[in-house]
Amino acid sequence: MLEEYRTIYQGGEGELIEKKSRFIATVRLVKSEEEALAFIEEMRKKYWNATHNCFAYVIGERKEIMRCSDDGEPQGTAGKPMLDVLLGEELYNTAVVVTRYFGGTLLGTGGLVRAYAKSVQEGLACSQVITKYLGVCIEIGTDYNGVGKLQYLFGQKKIPVLDAQYAEDVKFRILVKKSMEEETQKAVTEATNGKASVTVIKELYYALLNGEVLTFDD
């Protein structure tokens, strides 16, 4: 599993006008080639009267599925530049369709390459892009003497606290990067003089968006 990767949290739509040609870039999160193809077909139906519906997508942990299409534009002027933007942004599981309505003026090879690439950038700018981290959910049990020390530790290391239960004893559920698991357990032990219990609940991906912790099962 990847330690971290960039992907789409919420797709968006960006627009570009170039010499009266209208370019509409629609970005979508896709987790399989079937999802990508369904999305492309959806855009083709939505923009059925467009001159072109070009696409590019990158799928898989090792980006093993990469496809693009010029959809009738001169070879190499649309799909490849679009795919290059996705790869340059190091995005995973992402698809984009750029719809073009021809404005009557030819853009030339270089103009088309720039327009399609810039359209994808516009679409990404209107999307929410996140970095997912492979993390570990850990439950820590402590008596009330250890609460302050642990809260200080979490704050110092900027460790997200998912849940806190205060009863006879106190239980915290925290989220740390997988690579920080051993270091965190050691720090908890030291902070509480070995009096805290540490239980790994599960591995999961998480991301931070506007100060909020998002968790994912994939």
Side-chain angles (χ1 to χ4, degrees):
M1 299 175 76
L2 293 169
E3 289 286 334
E4 63 179 76
Y5 67 94
R6 280 164 52 83
T7 190
I8 302 299
Y9 178 62
Q10 186 171 329
E13 184 180 285
E15 191 169 321
L16 176 72
I17 303 295
E18 191 71 32
K19 293 184 179 179
K20 297 183 180 179
S21 276
R22 182 186 178 202
F23 295 85
I24 306 165
T26 308
V27 178
R28 185 79 57 88
L29 169 69
V30 290
K31 296 182 180 180
S32 67
E33 190 158 27
E34 289 74 18
E35 284 187 17
L37 295 174
F39 162 58
I40 293 162
E41 186 60 29
E42 177 189 333
M43 292 299 101
R44 282 175 173 162
K45 288 180 179 177
K46 180 178 180 179
Y47 298 111
W48 60 271
N49 59 340
T51 317
H52 306 279
N53 282 294
C54 307
F55 67 79
Y57 56 85
V58 180
I59 301 168
E61 190 170 297
R62 293 175 297 280
K63 297 180 179 177
E64 51 266 36
I65 302 175
M66 296 191 291
R67 305 277 188 273
C68 62
S69 169
D70 297 313
D71 193 35
E73 293 281 29
Q75 185 175 356
T77 61
K80 180 64 164 55
M82 292 167 61
L83 183 61
D84 285 345
V85 173
L86 297 183
L87 294 175
E89 293 291 332
E90 297 185 344
L91 289 166
Y92 288 72
N93 294 347
T94 302
V96 59
V97 173
V98 174
T99 301
R100 182 190 183 191
Y101 286 92
F102 182 54
T105 303
L106 295 174
L107 300 183
T109 301
L112 285 171
V113 169
R114 288 189 294 273
Y116 277 100
K118 191 174 180 181
S119 296
V120 176
Q121 292 167 349
E122 292 290 334
L124 292 174
C126 296
S127 305
Q128 286 185 317
V129 178
I130 58 173
T131 300
K132 284 186 176 183
Y133 301 97
L134 179 60
V136 182
C137 178
I138 299 174
E139 184 174 272
I140 299 170
T142 182
D143 58 24
Y144 279 84
N145 292 325
V147 171
K149 296 171 185 176
L150 288 173
Q151 288 176 332
Y152 176 77
L153 174 67
F154 301 154
Q156 185 184 45
K157 293 187 175 295
K158 297 181 180 179
I159 296 173
V161 178
L162 300 180
D163 186 42
Q165 297 178 9
Y166 296 86
E168 185 175 338
D169 290 316
V170 181
K171 288 184 179 179
F172 294 107
R173 282 206 174 186
I174 63 171
L175 195 54
V176 298
K177 290 182 181 179
K178 175 67 175 174
S179 58
M180 300 290 289
E181 179 184 351
E182 189 174 325
E183 179 184 325
T184 301
Q185 291 193 34
K186 184 179 178 182
V188 168
T189 299
E190 290 177 353
T192 60
N193 295 318
K195 295 180 179 178
S197 63
V198 180
T199 306
V200 175
I201 304 301
K202 63 177 178 179
E203 289 186 5
L204 74 168
Y205 278 105
Y206 74 97
L208 302 174
L209 181 64
N210 300 326
E212 181 185 354
V213 179
L214 308 172
T215 59
F216 307 88
D217 291 328
D218 62 333

